[in-house]
Amino acid sequence: MKRAQTEFSRRSPSGREAWGRLGSSTPSCSPPAAAVAAPRLWGNGVRDPRPLLWVEDHSIVWEPAQGNSPGVPEACQMVLSDITSLQGVPGEAEPPEPELVEAEVGGTALLKCGPSHSPGNFSQVDWFSVHKEKPTLIFRVRKGQGQSEPGEYQQRLSLQDRGTTLVLSHITPHDERIFLCQAKRPQSHEHRIQLRVYKAPEEPTIQVNALGISVSSKEPEEVATCVGRNGYPVPQVIWYKNGHSLKEEKNRVHIQSSQIVESSGLYTLESVLKAQLVKEDKDARFYCELNYRLPSGNHMKESREVNVQVFYPAEKVWLEVEPMGALKEGDRVEIRCLADGNPPPHFTISKQNLGTKEMEEMTPEDNGALVLESAQKEHSGLYQCQGLDLETMASLLSDPQELLVNYVSAVRVSPAAPESPEGGSLTLTCEAESNQAVEFQWLREKTGQVLEKGSVLQFHNLKREAGGGYRCMASVPSVPGLNRTQLVHVAVLGSPWMTSRERKMWVRENEVLNLSCEASGHPRPSISWSVAGTAQEQDQDPQGVLSVLNVLVTPELLRTGAECVASNSLGRNTTTIFLELASSRSTGLGTSTASPSVRANGTSTEKKLPEPESKGVAIVAVTVCVLVLAVLGASLYFFYKKGKLPCGRSGKQEITLPPSRKSEFVVEVKSDKLPEEMGLLQGSSGDQRAPGDQGEKYIDLRH
């Protein structure tokens, strides 16, 4: 006899498993009246008027043809008894759903022997683990004391709530099953619990197809692979492109997922996204999402976004020039070919020949760029790019583009070597060519000062100081940084100028000394010395020269000094250097290391000081006068204290004073020095002598 395809399975308290359908008529075993009145299917609700019942390996089958067969009534009565005990209501055979308990891997589950409102304090309880429909005793409760049975649960079970709750710790995925509680005292009771186990997967990893995808592919190609490790149960994967979820689409999108069961019972999910991409997907962002459940609710984790390389043929080629904007000579210019294909085609760059008007091929670098390290005006012209697709052998041309390199030619100044006599006039003219409007200006070389804006610089009534360098600058205002300059030296004709007419140096006898002499003029002067030695000349500028003489200090040199002579075709000039011993300087007989210089052309405002001998005499006189006054004052004060000071007049003032001024003493001192030298004796206030004063000086000795 063939068993019905859809079966109802239930375990009764007697331990037998029952499947079956109950019809409206029974030939040998009558079910309860409620069941007869409403024929029904035991298990899935499919109605069938044909009764079936038999016993086979604890399975019960019943059909009308065998209603009078021996043993069928007994089987009928046994089944009806089991069904009635299972349902608790006469004629109700469908069992209740097991209680659902959820826990996470590694956590703890509380298994209660009955609903929360059922009375507790069961004195005798047996706990079973049902795996593949086979119950296994795992725990016993006797008089409130629990005892684990040997096996996989021996170390993970404990008891609480007076024996009605079994605590399962360190939960693993293998614990997801039905747990059966049978209580026999104080009353018979059976309760089933379905334990559901959950584990969040690790963060999903995604690996993009490193080889890329061609748009010419006829079938979906692998885009990326998503992996979610160590989750339970298997999470659900959803793929996204640019934030929009992807679904299976024939010949367009295919998602292939597989899972691996680890030894721990956890699952590793691997999902492969395959798609047929188009050119617009070159910037698309793909990622995967794992959806999973925990006792706390539904959750999800997302991978990072990835972009897959998409290959597509070029449809357009164009040319770019860097830097953008106006170019000038000397700039680093890069001419680059670009295309909208991936990979880019093979590029060549051509430039129009100005003579033949034909495009001539140039050699770019590997990346399709032509680099001009220092662009020149000859690089200006018409350029064009050509791209060749090596897969389709299709050729594309860019639009021609003109390259303009702005320039300024070399600056020319006339006259090239300008010169003019002192007091004369001179005109300098500047010229330069450019493809743009040019502006000129003149600058003084040594100061950088702008003297004139324009191409012409004029001099009137030339002075010697006007000689030197002048720079003409030609610039293009419309192209920043585009300019060129030319330096020219203006020569003012005249006899040599000397830095100084004379000067003094302090020296030591028998030492080696460097004497320097500087002169300028046009024509350029030459320098000679009145004493023997080794001379070296250095050019200061086109019109100036510096001569350095290396000599030994001898008594003869100390007596005569050294004379420097500068001469050219228009005249000569001299500078005299006086040498004095440093030992005489340390005795205080001299006051200066060098005399102020006097310009050799005689136009300097510097003045010549008095001769050193007259200075020495004046200083000695001042010193002697001070000493005499000090001795005289001390003597007078001494005689006054002894009362031996004679009475009388001295010059214009009496020494004997009125009573009110007996403590005042005034001494008149007459000097035989000239009024000019006596000026050295004046106070620091600079008071002038009255007319007719013959150098007489009064010194107040009161204090």
Side-chain angles (χ1 to χ4, degrees):
M1 181 65 64
K2 185 177 181 181
R3 185 181 299 178
Q5 293 181 355
T6 304
E7 300 173 335
F8 165 74
S9 177
R10 183 74 180 201
R11 179 173 297 279
S12 69
S14 61
R16 292 187 292 271
E17 296 179 355
W19 290 267
R21 297 176 180 177
L22 183 63
S24 59
S25 62
T26 56
S28 55
C29 182
S30 297
V36 175
R40 59 183 295 173
L41 169 70
W42 297 96
N44 64 356
V46 178
R47 299 179 183 275
D48 191 343
R50 296 174 299 171
L52 298 173
L53 180 64
W54 73 90
V55 178
E56 180 180 346
D57 295 333
H58 302 291
S59 297
I60 304 169
V61 180
W62 174 26
E63 66 178 359
Q66 298 179 354
N68 298 322
S69 300
V72 172
E74 291 82 357
C76 256
Q77 295 297 331
M78 186 180 298
V79 170
L80 290 178
S81 176
D82 285 345
I83 292 174
T84 301
S85 66
L86 282 170
Q87 297 300 321
V89 178
E92 191 68 34
E94 186 172 352
E97 290 294 325
E99 179 187 356
L100 181 63
V101 174
E102 297 180 324
E104 289 192 51
V105 171
T108 300
L110 302 180
L111 309 178
K112 295 182 178 293
C113 189
S116 58
H117 57 78
S118 63
N121 194 21
F122 296 102
S123 61
Q124 183 175 339
V125 180
D126 291 333
W127 284 91
F128 297 88
S129 166
V130 181
H131 181 57
K132 295 183 179 179
E133 302 175 1
K134 180 181 179 181
T136 302
L137 182 63
I138 60 173
F139 199 83
R140 298 175 184 269
V141 180
R142 298 294 183 266
K143 296 181 180 181
Q145 300 297 320
Q147 176 65 44
S148 294
E149 294 294 320
E152 60 177 320
Y153 293 102
Q154 185 174 3
Q155 304 298 327
R156 297 194 288 139
L157 294 174
S158 60
L159 201 62
Q160 70 178 37
D161 293 342
R162 296 179 295 176
T164 62
T165 302
L166 187 66
V167 180
L168 175 60
S169 61
H170 305 295
I171 292 177
T172 70
H174 302 296
D175 296 330
E176 184 169 279
R177 59 185 64 183
I178 291 178
F179 290 86
L180 178 63
C181 164
Q182 289 183 348
K184 298 182 179 180
R185 293 180 185 177
Q187 60 181 3
S188 179
H189 174 77
E190 181 174 297
H191 185 67
R192 294 190 307 153
I193 301 171
Q194 175 66 62
L195 179 60
R196 296 291 184 192
V197 179
Y198 301 97
K199 167 70 167 61
E202 299 174 4
E203 293 291 333
T205 60
I206 189 169
Q207 184 66 40
V208 70
N209 181 1
L211 300 178
I213 298 176
S214 174
V215 298
S216 60
S217 176
K218 303 301 181 183
E219 296 181 354
E221 297 286 340
E222 179 180 332
V223 177
T225 301
C226 178
V227 178
R229 302 183 184 277
N230 298 323
Y232 192 89
V234 181
Q236 180 187 8
V237 63
I238 301 177
W239 283 94
Y240 290 85
K241 182 179 79 171
N242 296 331
H244 300 285
S245 61
L246 296 174
K247 296 182 179 181
E248 287 277 350
E249 185 178 348
K250 187 176 181 181
N251 297 328
R252 294 288 298 170
V253 179
H254 178 58
I255 300 173
Q256 181 179 351
S257 299
S258 61
Q259 62 225 24
I260 300 174
V261 181
E262 307 291 348
S263 60
S264 61
L266 301 177
Y267 289 100
T268 293
L269 172 69
E270 182 176 283
S271 180
V272 179
L273 172 65
K274 295 183 178 181
Q276 194 171 25
L277 302 183
V278 296
K279 179 180 177 180
E280 289 72 18
D281 293 325
K282 61 184 177 66
D283 298 319
R285 312 295 296 181
F286 296 89
Y287 68 95
C288 65
E289 175 186 284
L290 297 183
N291 290 280
Y292 57 95
R293 177 172 172 76
L294 295 176
S296 59
N298 295 322
H299 301 267
M300 67 90 171
K301 290 182 177 181
E302 294 179 347
S303 72
R304 63 184 177 90
E305 292 185 342
V306 295
N307 173 254
V308 65
Q309 191 173 20
V310 180
F311 300 115
Y312 48 90
E315 299 176 357
K316 181 182 178 182
V317 174
W318 67 95
L319 183 146
E320 285 187 356
V321 177
E322 294 182 355
M324 301 177 64
L327 303 176
K328 63 182 182 294
E329 283 190 322
D331 285 346
R332 185 184 186 276
V333 179
E334 186 173 329
I335 304 171
R336 184 180 297 277
C337 293
L338 300 172
D340 60 353
N342 185 32
H346 175 72
F347 293 113
T348 56
I349 300 178
S350 301
K351 180 178 182 294
Q352 186 181 56
N353 187 304
L354 296 180
T356 63
K357 303 299 181 181
E358 297 291 332
M359 302 299 292
E360 297 180 351
E361 185 174 319
M362 307 182 74
T363 305
E365 298 179 1
D366 293 339
N367 59 354
L370 179 65
V371 179
L372 309 176
E373 292 294 344
S374 180
Q376 303 298 319
K377 65 178 182 179
E378 293 79 11
H379 292 132
S380 298
L382 207 60
Y383 289 81
Q384 190 175 37
C385 280
Q386 180 181 18
L388 177 64
D389 193 318
L390 299 180
E391 183 177 350
T392 63
M393 300 308 293
S395 180
L396 296 172
L397 284 175
S398 71
D399 294 332
Q401 184 170 334
E402 184 177 5
L403 179 71
L404 177 61
V405 180
N406 297 286
Y407 68 93
V408 173
S409 68
V411 178
R412 302 178 302 277
V413 176
S414 60
E419 60 181 24
S420 175
E422 189 173 5
S425 299
L426 184 63
T427 300
L428 303 180
T429 304
C430 188
E431 296 178 341
E433 289 79 37
S434 174
N435 63 322
Q436 304 287 348
V438 182
E439 291 184 356
F440 297 92
Q441 61 181 3
W442 286 92
L443 301 91
R444 182 69 165 171
E445 175 67 11
K446 65 170 66 175
T447 63
Q449 179 185 3
V450 177
L451 303 177
E452 187 72 34
K453 290 189 176 181
S455 60
V456 177
L457 178 64
Q458 293 184 330
F459 297 90
H460 301 287
N461 191 22
L462 272 172
K463 303 294 184 182
R464 293 199 179 201
E465 291 81 359
Y470 294 84
R471 188 175 294 275
C472 173
M473 176 183 290
S475 59
V476 176
S478 60
V479 184
L482 179 56
N483 61 75
R484 298 187 73 170
T485 65
Q486 179 61 46
L487 178 65
V488 64
H489 289 276
V490 173
V492 179
L493 297 173
S495 59
W497 287 4
M498 304 297 286
T499 303
S500 59
R501 175 172 295 174
E502 61 182 36
R503 69 177 189 272
K504 180 185 294 184
M505 294 183 63
W506 300 95
V507 299
R508 292 183 176 86
E509 193 171 357
N510 296 324
E511 73 174 352
V512 177
L513 186 67
N514 286 331
L515 304 178
S516 63
C517 180
E518 186 177 358
S520 63
H522 191 75
R524 177 181 178 278
S526 60
I527 294 179
S528 61
W529 293 86
S530 62
V531 296
T534 304
Q536 294 181 347
E537 289 191 358
Q538 301 175 4
D539 291 334
Q540 300 296 94
D541 54 55
Q543 302 180 38
V545 62
L546 172 67
S547 178
V548 179
L549 180 67
N550 186 264
V551 296
L552 177 65
V553 178
T554 63
E556 179 65 18
L557 185 61
L558 290 170
R559 185 179 62 82
T560 62
E563 186 177 66
C564 163
V565 180
S567 60
N568 63 9
S569 60
L570 299 179
R572 64 193 299 273
N573 217 326
T574 63
T575 292
T576 302
I577 301 175
F578 298 100
L579 305 179
E580 292 194 12
L581 291 176
S583 57
S584 61
R585 181 185 185 186
S586 62
T587 59
L589 298 179
T591 61
S592 170
T593 58
S595 300
S597 61
V598 181
R599 299 293 296 184
N601 58 8
T603 61
S604 173
T605 59
E606 297 171 347
K607 296 182 179 180
K608 186 175 181 180
L609 293 180
E611 293 298 323
E613 290 78 0
S614 62
K615 294 180 183 178
V617 172
I619 293 172
V620 171
V622 171
T623 303
V624 172
C625 288
V626 171
L627 293 174
V628 170
L629 288 173
V631 172
L632 182 59
S635 301
L636 291 174
Y637 184 73
F638 176 77
F639 289 130
Y640 168 74
K641 287 293 186 179
K642 296 296 183 178
K644 299 179 180 181
L645 187 64
C647 296
R649 293 184 178 269
S650 176
K652 300 178 181 179
Q653 178 71 38
E654 291 184 0
I655 292 181
T656 304
L657 299 176
S660 62
R661 301 181 62 190
K662 289 183 179 180
S663 62
E664 298 181 8
F665 296 88
V666 177
V667 179
E668 178 186 75
V669 180
K670 292 186 177 181
S671 173
D672 58 354
K673 296 296 180 182
L674 295 177
E676 296 85 5
E677 295 178 356
M678 282 301 299
L680 295 174
L681 296 176
Q682 294 178 2
S684 59
S685 62
D687 298 334
Q688 300 295 323
R689 290 187 299 272
D693 190 346
Q694 301 299 319
E696 297 172 346
K697 186 66 178 181
Y698 295 89
I699 299 178
D700 190 350
L701 299 180
R702 289 172 296 172
H703 305 293

